[in-house]
């Protein structure tokens, strides 16, 4: 489904008309192209008082070959430490106000409320210098990890600032708050690789807890993390459910592009389309209904004959919308079974059968309906909120084994599912987010590909919304 308003608003006449009528003007988002740099343009690294992450940020920038202005860092650090605040125009090199593609701000040292003035000055001077599809990443501490009341307060306050900034910046710019645990900075490269790159085009306004790998994966595990940004999934064998079309097909394609061998599963009635996708990605088709009572055992047998799997993406899902007073029992039961019960049973069965690799990763597809709720979707929202409960409650067991389980919550994504929505509701759904447009299946797929890769090793038991910072929900 194409977004004709997006194309119109970016045509010469459409842009003039939109400006004259005060209509929103969403910009086409930059998306990932293989073998391009992680980020094209200059990156400004700034720091508040007593920053803790600067060395890690500089090192990660070098690994990712970013054009940073790191030569200025010692001066900034010194000034910040002395004065606790820095004013004046910030910019790249000697040119204040020169365009920048990304701003990384190390706020880990903010322990008093008034110290946030420094961040205010930095943002005020830099946000207008950000290029379209630019990035702002605030790196901070989790309030839960702070021992001091003022420190926890100011670190929590950053969340409100970040969410508001993400709504203000427009022009396809994405803003995130990354709460980095002490000791977790060593793996920050993988975090920057995703959130700075066009892979995260439709992810904005998110709070991500970046945990110490040792609390996620026991140090004894033979972890071979790669920073090959083009093939981070090389050699991995992954299962994707609901892979014959829509988001599932995009997931299979994206995982394969990143080097994985993909087992593509869908209902037997979609076998022909499933076979086409499997052939396109050089993988295998597995026609199977995940609600079949034998499905979990069938998957265990298949995983064993494959020599084990490195991960599973639970993407298969259905909607049967009706307000609860009018909802027939089969609509309740089918949605909760496909979307929640089957992924829960399959995940536990695969774990118990020990057919998942030592550093396996599981991703479940939730929805912003499961976060915000939606009229006519009590069954769907129950199932999708349940998916969040599933990953949060299973995360410790996964961590104990050196594995990880996370969820993505898509917002409005341009698929057959959303094409079926009546025009007016569809158009509202598309625009009601900070990006002013719907996402593409590949946006969900990119986030999942990252979560399935070793590059996301600091993340477990979390939910990443791929919703362009939808106005619905938190
Ligand atoms: N499209 C959106 O805007 C959107 C938003 C939020 C969440 N989601 C979620 O993303 C996922 C994919 O959505 P989509 O838009 O691509 O939907 P879709 O209907 O195009 O694809 C879903 C796939 O799941 C398969 N499936 C359904 N029941 C199955 C079963 N019992 N066993 C095996 N496969 C089964 C279907 O055959 C289909 O191929 C779903 O979980 C959906 O709830 C989508």
């Amino acid at each position: 489904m194409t977004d004709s308003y997006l194309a119109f608003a970016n045509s010469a006449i459409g842009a003039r008309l939109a400006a004259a009528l005060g209509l929103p003007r969403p910009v086409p988002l930059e998306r990932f192209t293989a073998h391009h740099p992680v980020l094209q343009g200059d990156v400004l690294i700034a720091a508040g008082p007593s920053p803790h992450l600067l060395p890690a940020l500089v090192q990660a920038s070098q690994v990712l070959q970013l054009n940073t202005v790191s030569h200025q860092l010692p001066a900034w650090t010194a000034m910040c430490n002395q004065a606790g605040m820095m004013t004046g125009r910030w910019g790249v090199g000697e040119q204040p106000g020169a365009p920048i593609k990304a701003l990384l701000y190390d706020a880990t040292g903010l322990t008093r409320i008034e110290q946030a003035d420094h961040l205010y000055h930095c943002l005020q001077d830099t946000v207008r210098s950000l290029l379209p599809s630019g990035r702002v990443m605030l790196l901070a501490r989790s309030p839960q990890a702070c021992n001091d009341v003022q420190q926890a307060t100011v670190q929590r306050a950053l969340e409100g600032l970040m969410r508001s900034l993400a709504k203000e910046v427009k022009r396809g710019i994405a803003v995130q708050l990354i709460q980095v645990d002490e000791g977790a900075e060593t793996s920050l490269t993988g975090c920057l690789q995703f959130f700075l790159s066009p892979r995260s085009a439709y992810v904005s306004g998110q709070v991500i807890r970046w945990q110490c790998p040792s609390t996620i994966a026991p140090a004894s595990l033979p972890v071979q993390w790669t920073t090959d940004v083009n093939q981070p999934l090389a050699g991995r064998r992954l299962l994707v459910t609901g892979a014959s079309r829509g988001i599932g097909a995009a997931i299979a394609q994206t995982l394969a592009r990143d080097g994985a061998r993909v087992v593509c599963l869908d209902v037997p009635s979609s076998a022909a389309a499933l076979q086409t996708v499997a052939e396109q990605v050089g993988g295998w088709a597995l026609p199977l209904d995940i609600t079949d009572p034998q499905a979990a055992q069938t998957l265990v047998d298949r995983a064993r004959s494959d020599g084990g799997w490195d991960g599973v993406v639970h993407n298969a899902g259905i909607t049967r919308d009706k307000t609860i007073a009018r909802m027939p029992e089969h609509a309740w039961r089918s949605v909760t079974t496909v979307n929640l019960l089957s992924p829960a049973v399959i995940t536990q069965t695969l774990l118990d059968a020990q057919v998942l690799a030592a550093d396996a990763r599981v991703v479940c597809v939730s929805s912003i309906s499961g976060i915000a709720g939606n009229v006519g979707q009590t069954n769907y929202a129950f199932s999708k909120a349940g998916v969040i409960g599933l990953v949060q409650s299973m995360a410790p067991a996964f961590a104990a084994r050196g594995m990880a389980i996370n969820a993505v919550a898509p917002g409005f994504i341009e698929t057959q599912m959303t094409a079926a929505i009546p025009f007016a509701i569809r158009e509202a759904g598309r625009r009601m987010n900070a990006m002013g447009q719907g996402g593409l299946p590949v946006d969900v797929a990119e986030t999942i590909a990252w979560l399935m890769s070793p590059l996301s090793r600091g993340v477990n038991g979390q939910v990443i919304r791929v919703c362009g910072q939808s106005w619905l929900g938190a």
Side-chain angles (χ1 to χ4, degrees), residues 444-460:
V444 182
E446 293 283 11
T447 307
I448 290 174
W450 179 69
L451 284 171
M452 295 302 283
S453 85
L455 296 164
S456 65
R457 65 187 301 199
V459 177
N460 187 28

Side-chain angles (χ1 to χ4, degrees), residues 427-470:
E427 197 48 27
R430 256 189 194 135
R431 306 292 161 220
M432 284 171 57
N433 59 75
M435 299 285 178
Q437 59 196 287
L440 302 181
V442 72
D443 296 325
V444 182
E446 293 283 11
T447 307
I448 290 174
W450 179 69
L451 284 171
M452 295 302 283
S453 85
L455 296 164
S456 65
R457 65 187 301 199
V459 177
N460 187 28
Q462 296 190 45
V463 186
I464 300 183
R465 294 171 31 148
V466 187
C467 63
Q469 202 191 15
S470 171

Side-chain angles (χ1 to χ4, degrees), residues 116-196:
D117 291 359
H118 182 276
L119 174 57
Y120 156 75
H121 286 294
C122 174
L123 290 172
Q124 211 200 24
D125 283 351
T126 50
V127 281
R128 273 173 290 191
S129 305
L130 282 162
L131 291 163
S133 289
R135 297 286 186 268
V136 179
M137 287 177 73
L138 303 182
L139 298 121
R141 293 293 191 213
S142 165
Q144 284 90 16
C146 298
N147 298 321
D148 179 83
V149 170
Q150 274 240 17
Q151 184 190 17
T153 304
V154 68
Q155 292 292 331
R156 178 63 180 80
L158 294 174
E159 192 175 323
L161 178 146
M162 180 279 294
R163 289 193 199 278
S164 299
L165 181 66
K167 287 179 174 160
E168 285 180 10
V169 283
K170 302 201 167 60
R171 296 179 296 132
I173 297 166
V175 184
Q176 326 290 348
L177 175 64
I178 313 294
Q179 297 174 333
V180 185
D181 281 0
E182 268 183 56
E185 60 275 3
T186 51
S187 62
L188 264 182
T189 306
C191 179
L192 265 53
Q193 184 269 344
F194 178 69
F195 286 108
L196 287 179

Side-chain angles (χ1 to χ4, degrees), residues 30-179:
E30 284 174 17
R31 291 199 164 81
F32 175 78
T33 314
H35 305 294
H36 277 216
V38 170
L39 182 131
Q40 301 198 46
D42 289 321
V43 180
L44 186 67
I45 301 180
S50 310
H52 298 282
L53 298 179
L54 282 182
L57 290 178
V58 172
Q59 193 185 21
S61 304
Q62 285 164 353
V63 173
L64 297 173
Q65 300 179 331
L66 305 177
N67 293 331
T68 62
V69 287
S70 54
H71 63 277
Q72 290 194 352
L73 285 176
W76 290 353
T77 313
M79 285 187 70
C80 295
N81 285 343
Q82 275 169 22
M85 194 172 95
M86 177 174 170
T87 57
R89 258 198 111 63
W90 294 46
V92 175
E94 298 306 310
Q95 291 175 276
I100 52 171
K101 192 69 177 184
L103 168 68
L104 300 178
Y105 187 93
D106 181 354
T108 51
L110 297 188
T111 54
R112 298 194 317 276
I113 294 162
E114 63 273 20
Q115 287 175 329
D117 291 359
H118 182 276
L119 174 57
Y120 156 75
H121 286 294
C122 174
L123 290 172
Q124 211 200 24
D125 283 351
T126 50
V127 281
R128 273 173 290 191
S129 305
L130 282 162
L131 291 163
S133 289
R135 297 286 186 268
V136 179
M137 287 177 73
L138 303 182
L139 298 121
R141 293 293 191 213
S142 165
Q144 284 90 16
C146 298
N147 298 321
D148 179 83
V149 170
Q150 274 240 17
Q151 184 190 17
T153 304
V154 68
Q155 292 292 331
R156 178 63 180 80
L158 294 174
E159 192 175 323
L161 178 146
M162 180 279 294
R163 289 193 199 278
S164 299
L165 181 66
K167 287 179 174 160
E168 285 180 10
V169 283
K170 302 201 167 60
R171 296 179 296 132
I173 297 166
V175 184
Q176 326 290 348
L177 175 64
I178 313 294
Q179 297 174 333

